[in-house]
Amino acid sequence: MTLLESLLHPEMLLALGLFAAISVAVEIAGYRLLLAISDVSASSWLMAHTIIPAARALSLVAFILIAYPVLFGVATSLPFSKLLAAGEMRFTHLVNVVFLLSLLLPMIPVFSRWPALVLPIQAIAAASMVFQWWAETQATTTVQFWPGWTTLTTLLVLAFITHEIASQISHRLEKMVDGMLQRTGSERLIYRTLLMILQVPVILLYTLSLGRQFH
């Protein structure tokens, strides 16, 4: 499948729709909860650094689960439930990897400065795990995870473009959303929500490059 064919596939559209809905719900709920407990430093820290990142991790894993196997440009394949059942605690490992990356990456200066890179890395790590499990069910089990310099460059360019788009839109919509939520400073909420949605094609570009090894 091409990038456009994968994006327009019914399963991918369902995954995108649910991912967008869950992402918006997580960001709004997290934003309101943080405001509600802003005076309690311990609870605020716990919410910001564990509960909300865990919810984001689960939403990303849910997207991968629903989008599989179209995520790799494959029309039909082994059901995801059987893929997970083939190994011990695969689902737990998948969620843990995404969650730990959400905690560790922002501590690295380059990622704290460019948060637009965090989501693609989380998704690429999770998708690579799923792809390895799927590849083990095929006749050929030797796979390459390096996408090539052209694909990598395109990924980086798209990541930064989506970052700029999300930044500009969130800045313009801040006042309107502030009025709706009766709060101030919602620009970051809008930015994170838009970024998670806009970067799905960035993720898909990498996962399709993995699937092409079996075409």
Side-chain angles (χ1 to χ4, degrees):
M1 296 183 188
T2 64
L3 178 62
L4 183 60
E5 288 172 339
S6 296
L7 280 172
L8 295 179
H9 193 282
E11 289 181 15
M12 181 59 67
L13 292 175
L14 174 62
L16 285 170
L18 290 177
F19 182 60
I22 294 171
S23 296
V24 171
V26 167
E27 295 306 319
I28 292 177
Y31 177 73
R32 289 189 167 181
L33 286 171
L34 284 174
L35 287 174
I37 61 174
S38 58
D39 294 334
V40 185
S41 57
S43 299
S44 183
W45 186 93
L46 186 67
M47 179 67 67
H49 292 87
T50 58
I51 297 176
I52 295 177
R56 291 173 182 150
L58 285 172
S59 68
L60 184 57
V61 170
F63 166 74
I64 292 173
L65 185 152
I66 298 169
Y68 164 89
V70 179
L71 198 63
F72 305 115
V74 180
T76 57
S77 188
L78 188 71
F80 198 86
S81 58
K82 292 184 178 180
L83 202 65
L84 292 176
E88 187 177 357
M89 298 182 67
R90 282 185 169 180
F91 181 78
T92 301
H93 293 325
L94 193 62
V95 175
N96 286 343
V97 164
V98 177
F99 175 64
L100 287 174
L101 285 173
S102 71
L103 298 181
L104 297 176
L105 289 177
M107 297 181 184
I108 302 173
V110 65
F111 296 115
S112 62
R113 184 177 180 182
W114 298 103
L117 296 175
V118 174
L119 179 66
I121 292 176
Q122 288 178 283
I124 284 171
S128 296
M129 292 175 65
V130 174
F131 184 73
Q132 178 64 57
W133 300 336
W134 176 78
E136 291 171 0
T137 68
Q138 307 302 304
T140 304
T141 57
T142 302
V143 296
Q144 296 291 330
F145 294 99
W146 173 249
W149 285 108
T150 301
T151 300
L152 180 62
T153 302
T154 305
L155 288 172
L156 291 173
V157 170
L158 284 177
F160 286 117
I161 288 175
T162 53
H163 159 73
E164 288 298 325
I165 293 173
S167 295
Q168 293 296 324
I169 294 176
S170 60
H171 179 70
R172 294 176 183 276
L173 293 180
E174 181 180 15
K175 289 184 178 180
M176 182 183 72
V177 175
D178 280 351
M180 292 171 60
L181 299 178
Q182 297 182 342
R183 299 289 184 178
T184 58
S186 60
E187 182 175 0
R188 183 172 177 79
L189 179 153
I190 305 168
Y191 168 78
R192 290 196 61 89
T193 302
L194 286 174
L195 191 66
M196 293 181 77
I197 298 169
L198 291 174
Q199 286 194 334
V200 168
V202 179
I203 299 165
L204 194 57
L205 191 63
Y206 174 78
T207 57
L208 288 175
S209 73
L210 294 177
R212 280 194 288 270
Q213 296 178 66
F214 289 86
H215 292 175

